[in-house]
Amino acid sequence: MNFAIVSIFVLFVFQSAFADDKTTPPVEVVGNKFYFSNNGSQFLMRGIAYQQNTANSTENLSFIDPLADEKTCERDVKYFKELNTNTLRVYAVNGSLDHDACMDIFSEAGIYIIADLSEPDLSINRNNPEWNLDLYKRYTEVVDMFEKYPNVLGFFAGNEVTNDKSNTDASAFVKAAVRDTKKYIKDKQYRNIPVGYSSNDDEDIRVAIADYFACGDLDERADFFGINMYEWCGESTFKTSGYSDRTDEYKNLTIPVFFSEYGCNEKRPRKFTEVGAIFSDDMTDVWSGGIVYMYFEEQNKYGLVSIKGDEVQTLDDYKYYKSEINNISPNYAKSSTASVEATQTFACPASASTWRAAVKLPPTPDEDFCECMASTYECVIRDNVPQKNFKNLYSEICGQIDCSPISVNGSKGEYGSVSFCSDKDKLSHVLNEYYLSSDRHSSACDFNGSATLAKSVETGKTCSAKDGSVNSAGSSNSKSSDTSQSTSTSTKSSGAIQSFQIASKYDLLAISIFMGCLFSGATILFI
């Protein structure tokens, strides 16, 4: 074969393999801004939320993965180009589907993806928060699925999980998810993809929650903070809308902050006059742009387009947004100008009447430890018992024995030593403890046929967690002496497994309420 032809072929293959890096070079975080990794220029999100069927419902857990349908992506990309779009937010993806085609389509158009790690039936529940093996596996599965694409801008570890002062304890579990997802990315030697959080805009907690996710150890804090912001309604201004006040509140935040949703629809058509402010010098030093909610017109009336079959019809909102977003001319910072102060972290917010999330985070889910502990249980839940029945079993057992090993308290920073295991393993744990406390009487492992003696048991086995702590079967009366909370700015590892603690009557009541809510249907944290 002619050498010149071979050279051209090799060059073509090389250019094709790295085409995505040319159109969508990886974006990195330096201080409180995003920057293109290839030239150090500031990246400002000109984004659109892109997903159907994300209603806040416990009855419909289905969703449409917008990044798995090549035909739909090809249909919609031209509209995103018309809207000067460089970012799409998706709320749930399907781990069993192929995303190559859509990711390539959007990459060629210069469009990045920021994706939520959860899905409707696998998300951190604000009323009954936990960070467990099922969630950990879901989150890391999404990371494995998308790490290869250079146009992945980042991942959300939660969306509006804490939404007012009554459930701030849930933020400890989301921050643990941030910590463990970041560590997973690092341990797998993937590209340093940012992991952050998307919050609502609640006046009681808006400052404390941003500080909480930005504070503490560098390996625990979020890489960015998004706010679902709907303050600018109709005709308004930078000052009267509240944008000026919010900008002042977040000006010292040392991680990027942006509007993870915006576009108040109190008056339609929406004229999007806030776009000019978002990309003005008043805001771009603090804010990194925003994501309009949303592309599809649905019952909530936030769409830019309506879909009938395969046909796209642009709405008046589309026209006004197109005019505004194509008329911006922001000034872009350079990563070389980032100050040392902008890359530092700070102490976490103190506990207050409106903020009660512990600095001490839940432990990292440890599958080997959970499997080891499960192998020691003599009395276990039967495989055919439906999860809806777990509630009554917990209520019956936890009124008679110590259930602190499965309990959590995100306000106090207290987490049971098996609290991150599966629901089935946690129930088997307390069933086994009840059986042992009853001197292994056969009637103590029945519960109307819900429990049974295990077919094989590794009695006397010692189970060691990854942090070095040790637990043995039937040792639920040991107590933890580690109740300290750290505000260090070092990069040390965190998330130790906690030893068992004796539960108070209030803890038992909390467990009963927790289990009642959990098995009656979890709140789905989608907008």
Side-chain angles (χ1 to χ4, degrees):
M1 183 181 292
N2 184 282
F3 178 78
I5 295 176
V6 173
S7 299
I8 293 172
F9 175 76
V10 171
L11 179 61
F12 171 77
V13 172
F14 181 84
Q15 289 177 333
S16 298
F18 291 92
D20 289 344
D21 287 323
K22 288 186 175 182
T23 54
T24 50
V27 171
E28 59 187 5
V29 172
V30 180
N32 72 334
K33 295 178 177 64
F34 294 101
Y35 295 95
F36 288 104
S37 59
N38 62 337
N39 60 19
S41 179
Q42 184 180 3
F43 178 87
L44 296 172
M45 293 185 198
R46 306 186 301 272
I48 297 174
Y50 183 55
Q51 189 144 16
Q52 294 174 282
N53 292 358
T54 56
N56 187 17
S57 169
T58 60
E59 297 178 358
N60 181 11
L61 301 181
S62 64
F63 62 91
I64 298 173
D65 185 337
L67 302 179
D69 187 338
E70 181 178 4
K71 183 178 179 181
T72 299
C73 293
E74 287 178 341
R75 178 198 68 191
D76 295 335
V77 70
K78 68 177 182 179
Y79 297 98
F80 295 135
K81 288 180 179 179
E82 287 183 2
L83 297 176
N84 196 21
T85 305
N86 68 3
T87 306
L88 298 177
R89 177 180 181 180
V90 298
Y91 295 85
V93 292
N94 189 325
S96 65
L97 301 178
D98 190 321
H99 301 89
D100 287 352
C102 283
M103 293 301 291
D104 286 345
I105 289 169
F106 292 133
S107 180
E108 290 175 4
I111 295 174
Y112 292 81
I113 302 298
I114 187 165
D116 288 57
L117 293 167
S118 61
E119 62 170 285
D121 59 350
L122 279 173
S123 60
I124 299 173
N125 188 309
R126 67 171 68 100
N127 298 316
N128 316 289
E130 59 179 333
W131 174 234
N132 60 25
L133 270 175
D134 291 337
L135 290 169
Y136 180 81
K137 289 178 180 179
R138 161 66 189 182
Y139 279 38
T140 54
E141 176 189 65
V142 175
V143 171
D144 288 338
M145 193 187 319
F146 282 91
E147 59 82 20
K148 65 181 178 180
Y149 305 117
N151 59 325
V152 171
L153 176 62
F155 298 115
F156 286 116
N159 178 62
E160 297 192 7
V161 180
T162 289
N163 66 351
D164 60 42
K165 63 184 180 182
S166 71
N167 49 45
T168 59
D169 61 308
S171 285
F173 298 86
V174 183
K175 195 169 180 180
V178 170
R179 175 201 64 202
D180 292 343
T181 305
K182 289 175 61 171
K183 186 176 187 303
Y184 182 81
I185 291 171
K186 183 177 181 180
D187 289 347
K188 296 284 284 188
Q189 298 184 336
Y190 292 153
R191 172 172 63 87
N192 188 23
I193 305 173
V195 182
Y197 176 66
S198 174
S199 175
N200 69 322
D201 179 39
D202 182 84
E203 62 179 349
D204 289 331
I205 63 170
R206 61 164 65 107
V207 174
I209 194 170
D211 289 348
Y212 182 77
F213 278 96
C215 76
D217 289 356
L218 294 174
D219 58 348
E220 291 184 351
R221 76 173 187 177
D223 294 317
F224 57 79
F225 186 77
I227 304 172
N228 297 337
M229 173 72 68
Y230 293 91
E231 291 189 2
W232 189 306
C233 297
E235 297 291 342
S236 191
T237 68
F238 176 62
K239 290 188 178 296
T240 59
S241 64
Y243 277 25
S244 176
D245 293 335
R246 302 294 83 76
T247 300
D248 188 61
E249 288 167 348
Y250 299 127
K251 66 182 180 183
N252 294 320
L253 208 63
T254 56
I255 59 175
V257 58
F258 57 93
F259 293 166
S260 43
E261 291 175 6
Y262 74 94
C264 173
N265 69 347
E266 285 185 5
K267 297 181 179 179
R268 292 195 77 181
R270 296 179 289 176
K271 296 187 176 180
F272 291 105
T273 53
E274 67 264 46
V275 169
I278 293 171
F279 295 94
S280 71
D281 290 347
D282 287 330
M283 297 186 67
T284 54
D285 189 48
V286 174
W287 301 88
S288 293
I291 299 169
V292 169
Y293 191 80
M294 61 176 298
Y295 182 69
F296 299 99
E297 176 78 347
E298 296 186 319
Q299 291 182 355
N300 57 11
K301 304 297 181 182
Y302 278 95
L304 299 176
V305 306
S306 64
I307 307 294
K308 296 180 179 179
D310 292 328
E311 297 298 319
V312 177
Q313 179 179 352
T314 61
L315 305 176
D316 287 341
D317 287 26
Y318 181 98
K319 176 183 68 176
Y320 284 109
Y321 177 65
K322 178 181 178 180
S323 175
E324 293 292 335
I325 198 67
N326 282 289
N327 196 39
I328 61 173
S329 55
N331 293 312
Y332 296 96
K334 300 290 289 186
S335 60
S336 58
T337 65
S339 65
V340 175
E341 291 77 12
T343 63
Q344 295 178 347
T345 184
F346 47 84
C348 294
S351 178
S353 61
T354 57
W355 189 257
R356 297 188 182 279
V359 175
K360 187 175 182 180
L361 304 179
T364 302
D366 186 338
E367 184 171 18
D368 292 339
F369 175 81
C370 292
E371 290 180 351
C372 176
M373 290 297 293
S375 71
T376 69
Y377 300 150
E378 299 177 38
C379 179
V380 297
I381 188 71
R382 287 186 181 274
D383 290 336
N384 62 351
V385 176
Q387 209 171 50
K388 66 181 181 180
N389 293 358
F390 286 15
K391 170 189 171 183
N392 291 335
L393 288 167
Y394 276 116
S395 298
E396 183 176 354
I397 300 167
C398 290
Q400 303 180 63
I401 66 165
D402 172 22
C403 281
S404 60
I406 67 168
S407 69
V408 294
N409 189 319
S411 297
K412 296 180 179 180
E414 298 174 354
Y415 312 100
S417 61
V418 295
S419 61
F420 52 76
C421 295
S422 69
D423 292 326
K424 181 180 178 181
D425 283 347
K426 284 186 286 189
L427 182 52
S428 290
H429 183 94
V430 295
L431 285 168
N432 188 64
E433 289 299 308
Y434 179 82
Y435 175 69
L436 297 178
S437 69
S438 302
D439 296 325
R440 293 182 169 88
H441 195 281
S442 59
S443 63
C445 187
D446 183 68
F447 291 91
N448 295 320
S450 295
T452 185
L453 293 176
K455 294 180 179 179
S456 63
V457 181
E458 299 182 44
T459 57
K461 185 177 182 179
T462 298
C463 301
S464 299
K466 290 179 180 178
D467 72 330
S469 61
V470 177
N471 286 277
S472 299
S475 61
S476 63
N477 289 327
S478 62
K479 297 183 69 176
S480 171
S481 60
D482 180 10
T483 57
S484 61
Q485 294 185 346
S486 170
T487 57
S488 168
T489 59
S490 71
T491 57
K492 66 182 180 181
S493 177
S494 182
I497 305 295
Q498 299 305 304
S499 300
F500 301 132
Q501 295 194 14
I502 301 298
S504 69
K505 62 182 180 180
Y506 302 106
D507 292 327
L508 296 178
L509 177 60
I511 292 170
S512 179
I513 295 172
F514 168 82
M515 295 304 170
C517 295
L518 178 63
F519 299 112
S520 62
T523 300
I524 305 306
L525 303 178
F526 284 170
I527 295 299

